[in-house]
Amino acid sequence: MRIDIISIFPEYFAPLGVSLIGKARERGILDVHLHQLRDWAHDVHRTVDDTPYGGGPGMVMKPEPWGEAIDAVLAADQDARPRIIVPTPSGVPFTQRLAMEYAAEPWLLFTPARYEGIDSRVMAEYGSRLRVDEVSIGDYVLAGGEAAVLVMVEAVGRLLPGVLGNARSAVDDSFAPGEMENLLEGPVYTKPPEWRGHEVPEILLSGHHGKIARWRRDEALRRTARNRAELLAALDPATLDKHDRRLLAELGLLP
Ligand code: JEB
């Protein structure tokens, strides 16, 4: 997969050289291209922002540098078109489903902004020619889109074939369609079996794989009920077995 990122802070993306994503790049699974937006601002101060039409606080990013920068990225391959992802607090929620959709694309272009965001005509211009998604990573306000891009590249990158070892597979993830959809993962433990008086739950040491799977599912249901009631409400009743129903009834969570 190719990923292009246009930003006034390309140095913000140094973490993409580290750990899982850094390894994926070394191995040629991920090809990341960073671009300085100001390279396409031609005045002496390399200005990328201006005052908002209609008044109000803050500044808005000018369309011309973004247009030239995006055109230059598109020109890198005449035979392909990237999916464009614009982080914004007013976008559609970034979910595991969207991460999986992005992981199936050959080419992504991220356009993290600063100030109050990008002049909306940039999204209109490219939205008429290619797919442009305005996406939010959560209901809180960042100072710019860069951290959101780091989050999305990590969520997408770990789904690419060959990035996670076969020891761990993305099908076990919370939020992934299937078994764990709308279920949080329960607690995890490693050695030693006792630490500062806290014991590892005995069942995990028992070697009874069937009982362990059942215990883990109970813990996942309990944790989901406690931390994310709205996810529990969204559980497909068809995915609940009789043990699930009994546990939820014990917790007073079934009609
Ligand atoms: C993303 C951003 C700003 C109003 C407008 C702009 C660019 N979940 C999220 N929270 N905040 C952002 C985001 C995502 N994705 C985000 C891009 C930009 C915030 N800002 C600051 C603040 N309020 C500028």
Side-chain angles (χ1 to χ4, degrees), residues 87-89 113-117 135-138 140-145 148:
T88 165
R114 283 273 147 177
Y115 312 103
E116 299 300 304
V135 174
S136 166
I137 63 160
Y140 37 78
V141 182
L142 303 172

Side-chain angles (χ1 to χ4, degrees), residues 114-252:
R114 283 273 147 177
Y115 312 103
E116 299 300 304
I118 303 172
D119 185 306
S120 206
R121 292 171 294 180
V122 174
M123 285 68 89
E125 165 72 3
Y126 294 97
S128 64
R129 291 190 272 142
L130 20 103
R131 290 189 77 168
V132 177
D133 295 353
E134 294 184 77
V135 174
S136 166
I137 63 160
D139 292 342
Y140 37 78
V141 182
L142 303 172
E146 291 81 7
V149 171
L150 288 175
V151 165
M152 290 189 271
V153 170
E154 185 157 312
V156 171
R158 68 186 282 285
L159 296 176
L160 298 176
V163 171
L164 288 187
N166 35 357
R168 202 207 198 282
S169 129
V171 302
D172 307 324
D173 290 335
S174 292
F175 315 117
E179 189 94 324
M180 291 300 286
E181 191 169 15
N182 292 316
L183 270 188
L184 303 181
E185 285 169 36
V188 296
Y189 302 88
T190 185
K191 289 169 282 295
E194 192 210 306
W195 178 75
R196 298 191 180 181
H198 303 269
E199 294 196 338
V200 172
E202 200 177 304
I203 183 73
L204 296 177
L205 312 176
S206 71
H208 290 119
H209 301 298
K211 287 186 181 175
I212 290 171
R214 184 62 248 172
W215 180 86
R216 285 190 168 144
R217 188 160 171 93
D218 287 354
E219 291 301 309
L221 285 161
R222 285 184 210 283
R223 188 174 279 196
T224 307
R226 185 179 335 121
N227 293 349
R228 299 289 300 276
E230 84 286 7
L231 286 185
L232 199 73
L235 273 178
D236 178 359
T239 68
L240 297 176
D241 64 24
K242 68 173 197 284
H243 292 93
D244 295 337
R245 292 172 200 285
R246 196 179 59 198
L247 178 77
L248 293 175
E250 280 166 20
L251 297 172

